[in-house]
Amino acid sequence: MSSNISAWLVPVLLAVACIALVGNIFHTKKVNKSLTGDIETAQADLQVASDNGKECDKKLKAKIAEVAPKDEQIATLTASVNTLTEEKTKMQEQIAKLTVDSRGRQGTQGI
């Protein structure tokens, strides 16, 4: 009887193992398709992000080019303001000096 059991047990175990292997193959194919889809989605997202980065870089360069002349104008105007402020200060000092001189002359003429 023992030989009868082992005679049909080995083929049954082999059949079960084959079924398990076939199931594993189908499961692996399904997982691979899913992973392939995920990779394609990630690549598409990466391409979109790269394109957005390039577009932002172009916009940034355009803004820098737009702002550079304004920065130069601001620097020129700041220098002009500083020069005019110095001239104003000098003129105010001259006015104060002339006012003092004028009051001094009026005081000496009054005596």
Side-chain angles (χ1 to χ4, degrees):
M1 180 104 166
S2 171
S3 65
N4 270 346
I5 291 176
S6 62
W8 62 268
L9 184 62
V10 171
V12 169
L13 289 177
L14 287 175
V16 170
C18 287
I19 291 172
L21 288 173
V22 169
N24 189 21
I25 288 170
F26 285 120
H27 176 71
T28 302
K29 284 184 180 182
K30 180 181 175 183
V31 170
N32 282 344
K33 285 182 183 179
S34 174
L35 290 175
T36 302
D38 290 347
I39 289 172
E40 289 173 357
T41 302
Q43 287 175 338
D45 291 345
L46 181 63
Q47 184 64 38
V48 168
S50 175
D51 292 343
N52 286 343
K54 289 177 184 176
E55 185 65 29
C56 286
D57 188 47
K58 288 179 185 177
K59 288 180 181 179
L60 178 62
K61 287 179 182 177
K63 288 291 182 182
I64 289 171
E66 181 182 319
V67 169
K70 292 179 183 179
D71 285 343
E72 291 175 14
Q73 183 181 14
I74 288 171
T76 303
L77 291 174
T78 301
S80 295
V81 166
N82 291 339
T83 302
L84 291 173
T85 302
E86 288 175 12
E87 288 179 16
K88 177 186 168 192
T89 304
K90 288 178 184 177
M91 287 183 171
Q92 285 176 338
E93 289 172 0
Q94 287 177 352
I95 290 172
K97 183 179 178 183
L98 291 173
T99 303
V100 168
D101 288 347
S102 172
R103 287 185 183 156
R105 286 187 193 155
Q106 288 177 352
T108 58
Q109 287 178 357
I111 298 180

